[in-house]
Amino acid sequence: TCIARRYQEIGVTEDGIRVIDDYAHNADKIRAVISAAQLSCDRLLAIFQPHGFGPARFLRPELKELLPTILRPRDVFCYAPIHYAGGTVAKDISSSDLAQDLVVTKQVFAAETKQDLLQWACEQARPNDTVLLMGARDPSLPQLAQALYDIL
């Protein structure tokens, strides 16, 4: 058995592309799951959905420092659109802002929509890659992980 959304393998495509879904949502958990995924793949497509505008602002400095140190030159990274759970929060940060922190050192993409994310994954994924979806709070993330698997 597995614990839902903790390094949960969604499936492996005919081309050997493995899709993993994980609840990682802070720097320590992102570091741990990326490091674990890298142990069993040559190339990683890492996707992270920040779980709110406040948490995105809070995590930004940590992720700016962390991601260039753990992503290998062959890995690619995508920020999914920030999950908005409602309320009167300031929407003064975006996935594009977060991606700008990494553009100098790593291959990075900021998806404006989940459809953009799916298209990016299709364009980037190669046989035997691992696609890792990370994020919390958004109840549609398991369906997004399944959609990634289905489209690849």
Side-chain angles (χ1 to χ4, degrees):
T1 67
C2 74
I3 298 172
R5 300 210 64 241
R6 285 296 185 194
Y7 209 78
Q8 183 175 354
E9 184 173 293
I10 303 304
V12 179
T13 70
E14 290 181 12
D15 290 340
I17 301 170
R18 187 168 62 146
V19 177
I20 303 292
D21 186 22
D22 194 272
Y23 192 77
H25 61 282
N26 65 37
D28 288 336
K29 290 174 179 68
I30 290 169
R31 175 187 296 110
V33 74
I34 285 177
S35 298
Q38 289 170 329
L39 291 174
S40 61
C41 74
D42 185 51
R43 184 168 173 264
L44 179 67
L45 278 72
I47 302 164
F48 174 58
Q49 180 184 45
H51 63 285
F53 294 91
R57 278 190 301 280
F58 177 78
L59 282 174
R60 185 177 189 178
E62 279 186 283
L63 294 176
K64 180 178 181 176
E65 183 178 319
L66 170 69
L67 293 171
T69 66
I70 61 170
L71 294 171
R72 304 168 297 190
R74 61 192 173 271
D75 295 333
V76 291
F77 189 85
C78 178
Y79 276 109
I82 296 172
H83 175 64
Y84 174 60
T88 57
V89 66
K91 296 180 184 178
D92 58 355
I93 190 168
S94 70
S95 292
S96 293
D97 296 328
L98 299 172
Q100 287 300 315
D101 293 341
L102 307 177
V103 76
V104 174
T105 56
K106 298 291 174 190
Q107 292 181 305
V108 63
F109 179 73
E112 294 293 321
T113 67
K114 289 182 181 174
Q115 189 60 42
D116 290 343
L117 187 151
L118 293 171
Q119 181 177 343
W120 173 85
C122 282
E123 292 169 358
Q124 292 292 319
R126 301 181 205 150
N128 302 313
D129 282 350
T130 293
V131 178
L132 171 64
L133 175 64
M134 302 169 285
R137 286 195 187 166
D138 182 349
S140 73
L141 284 175
Q143 291 83 14
L144 181 59
Q146 186 63 52
L148 280 164
Y149 173 73
D150 292 344
I151 203 164
L152 295 172

